[in-house]
Amino acid sequence: MPTKVPFKVIQSSSQDDRFSSKELETHAPTVNGWVSSRFCLYPQELVLKLNERVRIRKLQLLSHQYLIATKVEFFVGEGNRDSLGALHGSNFSRLGYVSLSDNEKTGYRARELKSVHVDCYGQFIKIILHKNYINRFNLFNQVGLVAINIIGENKDPHVQEKPQPVSSEYTDPAMWGLINRPDYISPMDDLAFDMYQDPEVGQIIRKLDAKKAEAVRQERYDHAKKLKQAVVDLQKVGERLGKYEVEKRRAVENEDYDLAKMKKVQMEEYRLKVYQQLQLHNLLDNKPTRPRNDPPPPQPRPPPREPDPPAPQPRTPPPPAPPVAQSYEERPIPTLRKQPAAAAPEPEPDFYAAAAAEPDEIQTTPREEEPEPMSEKNMREASAVIDVYGLPLVAGAYSKNWAHREDALLKVYKEMSEMGPDTPRDQCKSKLRAAIFLVQRSIKDKVFAVFSASLKLLKMILEDYIPQHKLGKADVTYCVDKTMPNLLAKTGDSAARQRVAALNYIQDMAQYKDVKATHQVPHHATQPFKLTIPSRLALSRVELVERLLKDLGLEKNSGLNVDNVMKFVVPALDHTAGEVRDAAVRVILDLYKAVGSPVRDYLPPDDQATRKKPLYKNIFDSFDRIDGKPTEAELKVQKQAAEKKKQEEIEQLQAQIAQLKDLQANIGKEDEEAGPSKDEGKEDQKSKPPTTHSKHRPPPREKSTLNAPSEAGDDVSSLMENMCIFCGERNEAFTEEGLDLHYWKNCPMLRRCQHCKQVVEIAGLTEHLLTECDQSDNFQQCPRCTEAIPKDEYDEHNRLKQCVVAKPEKVANHCPLCHQNIPPGEEGWKTHLMGKDGCKSNPRRVQALEKKGGGRSGPGIKGKAAAKSRQQAGSRVGVRGGKVGGKTPRGK
């Protein structure tokens, strides 16, 4: 079984005059440990020599609180006992290294204990310490170790280990294997035990622990239980005596001899009192009152005999009877020992006053009225609270019985409520911090009654206790910082009642007067969470932010703003649970209703690639509905309807033109057949009234009927002739070739695309660059100004946010040349691109104004004729742009 191995420090690279390396050979609360010399060279080495070659199972080191090495390496070696020079070089094998914390979080007050489990053989240990951490206390770049501990066993790997025989006093192999575990390391050999225990008490504890193991081996469980309790009590005593010893030594260093004498007397009195209470000499000198008759080796079992019927007897224990040998199978079951018919166990030596009675009497006492003793770990953890509220109350808070835990919180509630306003401020603060420690622990309790009591106590502290005693903002912040993490974790509890109670309490706490001023609740609530947390907890976190946003709003003193809410909720959109994503979307929409477009800055750009994701498509569609704009789907439906209507108009116009052409062709044939010219026909008709109708000429009534559409076709043709249907300019030079040249160079409503060289309408330039242009993949639409921005300039453009925000189409148009908002409709485009005070970035505008005196502007074509003419004009020169009836300006 591994035990503590003594060692000697035989070599060190350097050492401070006040902190010798020999200090590492002793373990006690008052040791100072080893410290390297000032401004030493790194790495520093320590070589330890064990008394003999052992199997090393565990290495421990206790670092200095602020003279901390960044890394510590361990080596093991065989070496030559007589030659120190043989300890270097290849005789050492590297075991590994550990990294130490910089200790900044503890304020350089705690010392870090590192334990390394190894399995190797050797007689020498070499420890290499690397460069120190830099802090304000380590002025001379030193490193230090307070203690080193080696745990091992004396085993030779070359000799085959014989199985250890089972103790002659106990023959149960299963129980023997449980007691005599080969890899068991006693807590008494741990470095933490010696460094916080009084040396004398530590030796007594080790003896009692050995006695306890012996009692278990002999099945004297009552005696083992008393020894166990004595060990627990002595550990507390040893820690207190160790603390007194440190205080006495500090007083001697400060030459305060009165205090040192007082501490010495206090230690002696306390030690004597404890020894008397524990009856220590009886426990250490105790011997079995009589030899036990151990069961013989296994033999054939005799036929079972029926037990005698139990006779009624009083609760007082009978006098001790001589022991009777029993086989292993006939021993009473432990649960039956509490029954009246069970045989009384053999008497044990006195320990406590109550121990003189039999176990039956001890068990019948109502132990539920008092909580069970606290463990050593819990005592250390709650030492500050014990100093304030006392051990019985804190033991109740740590009890396994939920009723004790609840009563402890209610007692604290009552005690703090009854404190008067004249209580000293320091006492009020100590009570507050101790109570918050208990609340912080009780919030995690699974019993709803204990959890409710903790919330009740916390509410009283925040609403009544702090204002009554006029404590500061720092105390409110301390209370919220300590309890909020556990409250947030409780919102993901599997029990719905506790989950809802935690959510409601946090919502109420955020509106407490003193708490609201600190902004701590929104600060903790909006901390982003990892996507790996359970969906129930993630949903509760998002719902909590949603509630706080509705209750507190985005006021200046609410603690919530667009930045912290969006940074919290945007990562939640990637959570695997759909209900979490839905809740996050609700928060984003609520925020957008309150502040508008700033929310878009935290989301991906509103482009086609992003809208391919259904989640973001729904978010941006909801934004459009909030802004009063049609959604993308609605725009698509409107576009399809407009295109369908446009196609119908084109088809109707084509049908009318075809009909007009047919009528003109028929009339032309009739004129040729009639012979005389149209003028002569008219003169003949005037001179000679027609009496009969020619066979090949239609009657006058039919002619007038057919001439009506012919005249309409002539009107359309005359309007379209020699006129630009984009800017409305009329010019005799506007033949088919002349119009092409005009579109290509002069029309102020058009321009050539710099990327694909096509002629496009200025009103549809943005749409062309995003969808039709050969280089459309290199552009991205800005959600603010709606213009097409090159992708390599988009990030800078979006970061500066200096572009003019585009207004809805019904309110204003947005010019892609001068980047300004202009009046809506087609008249707005025409005025801006052709007017005297129009677009300064349109070079063709000046040419159009100069030509205005020389050329003629026609009234333009409207309706179906305009649509048809634009289509024909666009097909000749490759004009691309907006829709007819949309942004495309019409001639007048």
Side-chain angles (χ1 to χ4, degrees):
M1 183 179 296
T3 58
K4 178 179 288 189
V5 179
F7 63 88
K8 293 183 179 179
V9 181
I10 61 175
Q11 181 183 352
S12 62
S13 299
S14 65
Q15 63 183 18
D16 194 279
D17 295 338
R18 298 176 298 167
F19 303 96
S20 171
S21 61
K22 295 297 181 182
E23 288 267 342
L24 298 175
E25 300 174 3
T26 306
H27 296 164
T30 56
V31 298
N32 294 323
W34 165 82
V35 174
S36 66
S37 61
R38 297 183 176 185
F39 302 110
C40 61
L41 299 178
Y42 289 99
Q44 290 285 299
E45 292 186 4
L46 292 171
V47 180
L48 315 179
K49 179 183 178 182
L50 313 183
N51 292 341
E52 58 182 341
R53 187 175 184 272
V54 299
R55 182 185 182 185
I56 303 171
R57 305 300 298 273
K58 187 177 182 180
L59 298 173
Q60 291 183 300
L61 60 86
L62 185 63
S63 175
H64 197 276
Q65 59 266 30
Y66 57 84
L67 306 178
I68 308 169
T70 56
K71 184 172 71 171
V72 180
E73 293 185 271
F74 297 94
F75 295 81
V76 63
E78 300 288 345
N80 187 349
R81 302 186 183 186
D82 302 327
S83 176
L84 188 62
L87 298 178
H88 302 281
S90 61
N91 290 328
F92 280 97
S93 300
R94 186 174 185 269
L95 298 177
Y97 74 93
V98 294
S99 299
L100 300 178
S101 171
D102 59 3
N103 212 16
E104 183 179 358
K105 293 182 179 179
T106 65
Y108 307 101
R109 295 182 179 180
R111 298 183 295 192
E112 184 175 8
L113 175 62
K114 281 288 185 180
S115 299
V116 182
H117 292 269
V118 297
D119 190 1
C120 60
Y121 291 87
Q123 189 179 358
F124 295 91
I125 300 292
K126 181 164 68 173
I127 300 175
I128 297 180
L129 297 94
H130 291 263
K131 188 176 181 180
N132 63 289
Y133 283 110
I134 298 175
N135 55 66
R136 64 180 183 274
F137 299 104
N138 193 355
L139 302 178
F140 307 107
N141 292 338
Q142 298 170 280
V143 292
L145 294 178
V146 180
I148 298 175
N149 189 31
I150 302 174
I151 297 176
E153 49 189 334
N154 298 327
K155 286 186 178 180
D156 192 342
H158 304 292
V159 179
Q160 184 176 2
E161 183 180 357
K162 297 181 179 180
Q164 187 175 357
V166 179
S167 173
S168 60
E169 298 181 358
Y170 196 84
T171 56
D172 184 4
M175 186 62 70
W176 176 255
L178 182 64
I179 295 173
N180 192 37
R181 289 179 293 172
D183 58 344
Y184 174 73
I185 299 177
S186 173
M188 313 305 168
D189 293 329
D190 195 271
L191 184 58
F193 178 81
D194 283 330
M195 294 305 297
Y196 297 100
Q197 287 287 339
D198 178 73
E200 179 183 341
V201 177
Q203 293 300 325
I204 296 175
I205 290 175
R206 287 188 174 91
K207 293 180 181 179
L208 291 179
D209 190 64
K211 290 278 186 182
K212 181 187 72 174
E214 183 67 22
V216 172
R217 189 177 297 113
Q218 296 178 3
E219 286 190 333
R220 303 172 65 201
Y221 297 123
D222 291 328
H223 187 54
K225 178 180 177 182
K226 295 169 188 176
L227 289 169
K228 175 186 175 183
Q229 185 61 42
V231 168
V232 172
D233 293 338
L234 280 174
Q235 285 179 347
K236 303 172 186 175
V237 172
E239 289 182 5
R240 179 167 292 186
L241 289 173
K243 183 179 179 181
Y244 289 159
E245 182 66 29
V246 173
E247 293 175 353
K248 183 185 74 173
R249 184 166 180 171
R250 187 180 298 116
V252 172
E253 291 177 354
N254 297 333
E255 297 185 355
D256 189 353
Y257 301 116
D258 293 334
L259 178 60
K261 181 180 178 181
M262 184 184 69
K263 289 296 179 182
K264 179 183 177 182
V265 174
Q266 187 179 8
M267 289 174 61
E268 293 176 351
E269 292 177 352
Y270 182 65
R271 192 190 305 270
L272 180 61
K273 179 181 177 181
V274 170
Y275 287 172
Q276 290 175 351
Q277 289 179 350
L278 295 178
Q279 299 180 3
L280 197 58
H281 297 290
N282 291 341
L283 288 175
L284 291 176
D285 298 337
N286 175 61
K287 302 293 183 183
T289 57
R290 55 190 178 279
R292 289 184 54 88
N293 295 327
D294 294 318
Q299 296 178 354
R301 296 176 56 185
R305 53 188 178 85
E306 297 181 359
D308 297 332
Q313 48 186 325
R315 297 293 296 173
T316 57
V324 179
Q326 293 178 329
S327 66
Y328 184 76
E329 290 79 3
E330 293 176 348
R331 294 176 186 172
I333 300 174
T335 57
L336 298 178
R337 295 176 64 111
K338 298 181 183 180
Q339 299 182 1
E346 58 178 313
E348 299 290 345
D350 292 340
F351 180 56
Y352 293 113
E358 287 297 316
D360 288 339
E361 293 184 2
I362 297 176
Q363 293 295 334
T364 54
T365 57
R367 292 187 62 84
E368 290 78 4
E369 296 180 359
E370 296 181 1
E372 63 274 12
M374 295 177 63
S375 65
E376 179 186 359
K377 178 183 177 182
N378 293 339
M379 289 278 289
R380 290 179 182 176
E381 180 182 307
S383 58
V385 187
I386 293 174
D387 294 340
V388 177
Y389 290 108
L391 180 60
L393 188 147
V394 180
Y398 276 80
S399 175
K400 295 179 181 178
N401 189 338
W402 67 268
H404 290 320
R405 301 197 297 270
E406 183 185 15
D407 291 342
L409 293 174
L410 296 179
K411 289 178 183 177
V412 174
Y413 181 92
K414 181 179 179 182
E415 184 174 343
M416 297 184 71
S417 301
E418 293 175 352
M419 290 178 62
D422 299 333
T423 308
R425 189 179 184 87
D426 293 339
Q427 184 178 351
C428 293
K429 285 192 174 185
S430 61
K431 291 275 187 183
L432 170 70
R433 293 179 181 266
I436 289 299
F437 177 86
L438 296 179
V439 170
Q440 181 183 6
R441 188 176 187 275
S442 301
I443 287 174
K444 299 182 290 186
D445 205 296
K446 295 182 179 180
V447 180
F448 184 74
V450 181
F451 174 63
S452 300
S454 66
L455 296 184
K456 178 181 178 182
L457 176 58
L458 181 59
K459 181 178 181 181
M460 184 273 294
I461 291 173
L462 294 174
E463 281 195 317
D464 301 330
Y465 184 83
I466 291 178
Q468 179 183 358
H469 297 281
K470 299 179 180 179
L471 299 180
K473 185 177 179 180
D475 297 300
V476 179
T477 303
Y478 176 83
C479 297
V480 179
D481 286 344
K482 290 294 183 182
T483 56
M484 269 298 292
N486 291 347
L487 284 172
L488 291 175
K490 202 68 175 179
T491 59
D493 196 274
S494 57
R497 185 165 58 165
Q498 297 201 20
R499 185 168 65 249
V500 173
L503 277 171
N504 293 337
Y505 182 79
I506 295 175
Q507 187 178 0
D508 295 339
M509 182 172 65
Q511 300 185 40
Y512 294 165
K513 181 179 179 182
D514 293 333
V515 177
K516 187 176 182 180
T518 63
H519 302 165
Q520 289 300 309
V521 174
H523 170 73
H524 286 278
T526 53
Q527 293 298 316
F529 54 81
K530 296 181 179 179
L531 299 180
T532 55
I533 67 172
S535 58
R536 184 168 50 243
L537 177 59
L539 178 60
S540 298
R541 292 286 307 276
V542 179
E543 288 179 348
L544 175 62
V545 173
E546 184 179 11
R547 292 187 184 187
L548 294 177
L549 188 61
K550 292 180 180 178
D551 292 345
L552 303 178
L554 296 174
E555 299 176 359
K556 184 177 181 180
N557 296 325
S558 68
L560 293 175
N561 52 61
V562 179
D563 185 68
N564 60 11
V565 174
M566 288 301 294
K567 286 182 178 179
F568 166 79
V569 80
V570 169
L573 295 174
D574 297 328
H575 200 275
T576 55
E579 58 270 19
V580 178
R581 298 194 298 271
D582 294 340
V585 171
R586 292 198 304 269
V587 175
I588 291 175
L589 296 182
D590 291 342
L591 201 60
Y592 190 82
K593 291 177 183 177
V595 299
S597 59
V599 176
R600 294 179 180 266
D601 298 337
Y602 296 88
L603 297 173
D606 185 5
D607 53 18
Q608 295 298 327
T610 305
R611 284 184 176 262
K612 289 181 180 179
K613 301 178 181 179
L615 178 66
Y616 287 103
K617 181 179 182 299
N618 294 335
I619 292 175
F620 290 128
D621 286 347
S622 300
F623 288 171
D624 293 337
R625 294 190 188 98
I626 294 173
D627 293 337
K629 299 179 183 178
T631 64
E632 185 181 14
E634 294 172 349
L635 288 174
K636 188 175 182 180
V637 172
Q638 294 177 2
K639 182 178 180 180
Q640 292 176 351
E643 289 178 353
K644 184 177 180 181
K645 184 178 180 182
K646 175 183 175 181
Q647 187 64 28
E648 291 176 354
E649 292 179 352
I650 292 174
E651 292 176 354
Q652 291 177 2
L653 184 61
Q654 289 176 345
Q656 291 179 4
I657 293 176
Q659 184 180 6
L660 290 173
K661 289 182 178 180
D662 292 341
L663 291 175
Q664 289 177 351
N666 292 335
I667 294 173
K669 289 181 180 180
E670 292 177 355
D671 291 341
E672 290 177 358
E673 292 178 356
S677 65
K678 185 181 292 186
D679 295 335
E680 293 176 353
K682 288 181 181 180
E683 292 176 358
D684 294 340
Q685 288 178 4
K686 289 179 182 179
S687 59
K688 299 180 180 180
T691 56
T692 59
H693 296 287
S694 173
K695 177 179 176 181
H696 301 285
R697 184 181 294 274
R701 186 172 184 176
E702 293 179 359
K703 181 177 181 181
S704 62
T705 303
L706 295 175
N707 282 341
S710 177
E711 294 173 359
D714 293 341
D715 293 339
V716 173
S717 301
S718 60
L719 286 174
M720 294 172 57
E721 189 176 0
N722 305 122
M723 188 189 74
C724 174
I725 47 86
F726 294 102
C727 63
E729 180 181 353
R730 187 183 297 275
N731 196 315
E732 296 297 333
F734 284 176
T735 60
E736 184 173 353
E737 293 77 9
L739 280 173
D740 288 345
L741 184 62
H742 172 73
Y743 296 151
W744 189 256
K745 290 186 176 181
N746 302 322
C747 183
M749 302 297 291
L750 307 177
R751 70 167 297 165
R752 276 179 290 177
C753 175
Q754 298 178 357
H755 304 281
C756 63
K757 305 306 180 182
Q758 291 184 358
V759 178
V760 297
E761 291 187 68
I762 296 175
L765 179 60
T766 299
E767 183 179 357
H768 167 78
L769 292 175
L770 293 173
T771 58
E772 298 175 350
C773 183
D774 296 339
Q775 305 294 328
S776 60
D777 293 337
N778 298 330
F779 289 89
Q780 187 171 349
Q781 188 172 22
C782 174
R784 288 170 53 88
C785 61
T786 69
E787 293 186 31
I789 308 298
K791 288 185 176 180
D792 55 352
E793 302 175 5
Y794 181 81
D795 292 338
E796 182 69 14
H797 174 86
N798 194 27
R799 184 182 66 82
L800 295 176
K801 296 181 182 178
Q802 295 179 352
C803 57
V804 179
V805 179
K807 296 181 180 180
E809 186 175 351
K810 296 181 179 179
V811 178
N813 295 323
H814 191 83
C815 179
L817 301 182
C818 63
H819 316 295
Q820 300 295 323
N821 293 325
I822 61 176
E826 297 179 1
E827 289 298 328
W829 279 111
K830 195 166 184 179
T831 303
H832 178 69
L833 295 174
M834 299 176 58
K836 183 177 181 181
D837 298 325
C839 182
K840 306 297 183 183
S841 301
N842 184 11
R844 297 187 180 186
R845 179 181 65 88
V846 180
Q847 299 177 6
L849 291 175
E850 293 176 351
K851 288 184 177 181
K852 196 169 183 180
R856 295 187 299 112
S857 295
I861 307 174
K862 297 182 180 180
K864 300 176 182 179
K868 178 65 178 177
S869 61
R870 290 186 185 202
Q871 185 184 24
Q872 293 174 351
S875 63
R876 289 198 302 269
V877 295
V879 177
R880 304 288 181 92
K883 310 169 189 177
V884 177
K887 292 183 179 179
T888 307
R890 297 173 180 169
K892 288 188 178 181

